[in-house]
């Protein structure tokens, strides 16, 4: 650390010490040591501190480009780095954030691999759901900083990386939070329920931050993946059971399904790319048969973010840039009654007709109160 302080302090006025650091190829030595399992964790912490300090304080353009060129940092991000303890994890994510915050569109090109991969983004994305809130915050800062870059080559790599790692990971985290909330609701464990809802709120807020960047391709990926793999399984279960005013069915699952959908619509209501297909999925009288009948391959979709079936194709129809033969075929498919709409309206009883939706309030209890809240949120959504 003292060496790093000396190099940083003298780098602008007298480059001789930094030149010696380069001449001895110390950066390559640091990366090799960081990836070596036999090196003690304490030594790795010192090296990460040194590298972060150098990246944050490099004043000369030539010095900064030396640190990020050559592929050493990408090698570190893509290598088998062992998170031996919490302190090492904290300093590693601090290093990732230091790199991301210093990059612009031109310098970030040095981190894009020959196949268009962006290891820096993938590594930071993997830590956006870490148990430590400080690690999560630093990882998310790095991810959001990379997503703000406007270089076309870098943007293409970011979109691919987000589709591959970030979006499936966040969707998986939300599904886990909703599953834990359902179990807590069934068992009456208020502490576990509070923890699950806090996890949900944290992830929903992060997705909102990503959507606020207004990166069209990333927003579209979030919409298509989230609706098909995140919310649809919840809504499908609700539709199969058919909640009723008498309380039939799985009340815990119904409650979580209504709450999850309303919480997401409330947070992301200003983003038309997501809230419009969500509203149509819930309220449109009929849907293409494939959306209702076919089930997405959740495990495959969560692992690589690739195409996951009919619902993804249907949501793509709301983006003019995404239309193609398959989307057109989905739009022309046979329409069937929307079971999600029926499940949403079931708590209000059969005596209510379509026109009564405008007067629903949240004075009911259980599923009816949550369904009322969801409808009220959709009515107020700025994106509709």
């Amino acid at each position: 650390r003292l060496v790093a302080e000396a190099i940083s302090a003298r780098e602008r006025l007298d480059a001789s010490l930094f030149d010696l650091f380069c001449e001895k190829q110390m950066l390559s030595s640091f990366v090799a040591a960081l990836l070596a399992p036999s090196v003690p964790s304490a030594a790795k912490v010192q090296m990460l501190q040194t590298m972060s300090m150098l990246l944050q304080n490099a004043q000369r353009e030539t010095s900064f480009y030396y640190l990020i060129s050559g592929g050493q940092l990408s090698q570190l991000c893509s290598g088998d780095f062992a998170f031996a303890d919490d302190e090492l994890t904290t300093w590693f994510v601090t290093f990732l954030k230091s790199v991301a915050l210093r990059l612009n569109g031109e310098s970030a090109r040095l981190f894009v691999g020959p196949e268009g991969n962006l290891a820096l983004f993938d590594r930071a994305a993997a830590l956006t759901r870490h148990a430590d809130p400080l690690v999560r915050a630093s990882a998310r800062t790095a991810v959001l900083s990379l997503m703000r870059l406007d270089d076309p080559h870098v943007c293409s790599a970011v979109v691919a990386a987000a589709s591959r790692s970030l979006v499936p990971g966040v969707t998986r985290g939300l599904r886990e939070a909703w599953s834990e909330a359902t179990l807590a609701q069934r068992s009456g464990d208020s502490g576990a329920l509070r923890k699950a809802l806090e996890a949900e709120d944290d992830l929903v807020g992060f997705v909102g931050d990503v959507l606020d960047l207004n990166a069209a391709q990333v927003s579209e990926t979030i919409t298509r993946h989230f609706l098909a793999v995140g919310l649809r399984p919840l809504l499908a279960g609700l539709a199969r059971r058919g909640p009723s005013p008498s309380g039939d069915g799985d009340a815990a699952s119904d409650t979580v399904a209504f709450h999850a959908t309303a919480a997401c619509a409330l947070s992301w209501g200003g983003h038309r790319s997501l809230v419009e297909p969500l509203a149509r999925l819930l309220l449109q009288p009929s849907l293409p048969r494939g959306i209702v009948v076919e089930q997405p391959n959740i495990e495959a979709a969560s692992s690589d973010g690739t195409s996951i079936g009919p619902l993804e194709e249907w949501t793509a129809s709301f983006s003019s840039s995404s239309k193609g033969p398959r989307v057109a075929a989905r739009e022309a498919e046979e329409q069937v009654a929307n079971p999600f709409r029926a499940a949403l309206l079931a708590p209000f009883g059969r005596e209510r007709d379509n026109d009564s939706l405008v007067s629903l309030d949240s004075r009911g209890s259980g599923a009816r109160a949550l369904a009322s809240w969801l409808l009220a949120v959709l009515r107020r959504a700025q994106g509709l």
Side-chain angles (χ1 to χ4, degrees):
R1 187 167 57 187
L2 292 175
V3 171
E5 291 175 355
I7 293 175
S8 299
R10 296 179 57 83
E11 179 253 342
R12 190 169 186 177
L13 300 175
D14 180 4
S16 58
L17 192 56
F18 187 87
D19 291 341
L20 181 64
F21 179 86
C22 301
E23 180 183 337
K24 298 299 183 181
Q25 298 183 344
M26 292 303 299
L27 185 61
S28 297
S29 300
F30 280 7
V31 171
L34 286 166
L35 294 176
S38 58
V39 175
S41 178
K44 291 184 177 181
V45 167
Q46 290 294 320
M47 285 183 275
L48 286 171
Q49 289 175 339
T50 299
M51 292 169 64
S52 296
M53 191 176 300
L54 290 174
L55 284 163
Q56 289 172 353
N57 295 289
Q59 299 294 318
R60 295 189 308 162
E61 187 176 5
T62 53
S63 300
F64 177 66
Y65 270 86
Y66 167 78
L67 293 171
I68 65 173
S69 61
Q72 290 98 336
L73 299 188
S74 290
Q75 179 186 352
L76 176 58
C77 292
S78 60
D80 187 15
F81 185 84
F83 297 101
D85 54 53
D86 292 341
E87 184 180 15
L88 187 57
T89 303
T90 299
W91 278 106
F92 184 79
V93 76
T94 299
F95 158 74
L96 295 179
K97 185 176 73 171
S98 299
V99 176
L101 290 176
R102 283 298 306 267
L103 296 179
N104 56 29
E106 180 182 356
S107 57
R109 280 175 165 259
L110 296 172
F111 286 85
V112 180
E115 298 180 357
N117 58 304
L118 190 58
L120 174 62
F121 187 98
D122 286 332
R123 182 64 85 170
L127 295 170
T128 55
R129 294 174 51 217
H130 195 276
D132 187 329
L134 294 179
V135 172
R136 283 202 310 272
S138 294
R140 292 175 184 182
T141 298
V143 164
L144 293 171
S145 180
L146 291 171
M147 295 180 76
R148 290 189 182 97
L149 301 178
D150 57 3
D151 181 86
H153 186 57
V154 175
C155 287
S156 178
V158 165
V159 170
S163 302
R164 180 176 58 250
S165 57
L166 180 67
V167 176
V170 171
T171 304
R172 184 165 54 250
L174 284 169
R175 283 176 51 81
E176 291 170 359
W178 294 331
S179 177
E180 291 167 4
T182 300
L183 294 175
Q185 184 79 355
R186 287 173 181 161
S187 63
D189 188 338
S190 59
L193 179 61
R194 186 180 305 108
K195 183 178 179 181
L197 295 181
E198 288 174 353
E200 175 204 55
D201 184 64
D202 176 68
L203 287 169
V204 168
F206 175 49
V207 174
D209 291 338
V210 174
L211 292 172
D212 286 342
L213 296 176
N214 293 318
Q217 290 179 292
V218 174
S219 296
E220 183 181 331
T221 299
I222 291 174
T223 298
R224 294 164 65 180
H225 194 91
F226 172 76
L227 289 180
V229 180
L231 274 183
R232 188 188 184 283
L234 280 179
L235 298 173
L238 186 67
R240 284 195 301 271
R241 289 187 301 273
S244 68
S246 61
D248 296 335
D250 186 343
S253 296
D254 297 346
T255 298
V256 171
F258 284 134
H259 166 84
T261 309
C264 293
L266 181 64
S267 180
W268 308 334
H271 300 279
R272 188 182 185 88
S273 64
L274 195 149
V275 75
E276 181 179 355
L278 174 59
R280 288 179 179 272
L281 183 66
L282 291 171
L283 300 176
Q284 200 165 276
S286 61
L287 293 172
R289 175 178 289 279
I291 296 175
V292 175
V293 176
E294 298 181 35
Q295 297 293 327
N297 187 339
I298 292 174
E299 295 303 321
S302 298
S303 64
D304 60 12
T306 55
S307 181
I308 43 184
L311 181 55
E312 195 180 45
E313 294 174 4
W314 181 73
T315 56
S317 67
F318 297 101
S319 173
S320 58
S321 62
S322 301
K323 288 196 175 185
R326 296 179 67 189
V327 172
R330 184 62 59 192
E331 291 176 324
E333 187 179 354
E334 177 190 359
Q335 302 286 305
V336 297
N338 185 352
F340 311 122
R341 182 178 187 275
L344 176 60
L345 300 183
F348 304 106
R350 294 187 177 183
E351 72 280 2
R352 291 184 178 269
D353 57 26
N354 293 341
D355 294 336
S356 65
L357 293 180
V358 296
S359 62
L360 295 180
D361 58 44
S362 57
R363 291 193 293 270
S365 60
R368 178 173 173 174
L370 285 166
S372 295
W373 178 41
L374 172 55
L375 288 167
V377 167
L378 290 173
R379 286 182 58 205
R380 294 195 301 267
Q382 297 177 2
L384 292 177

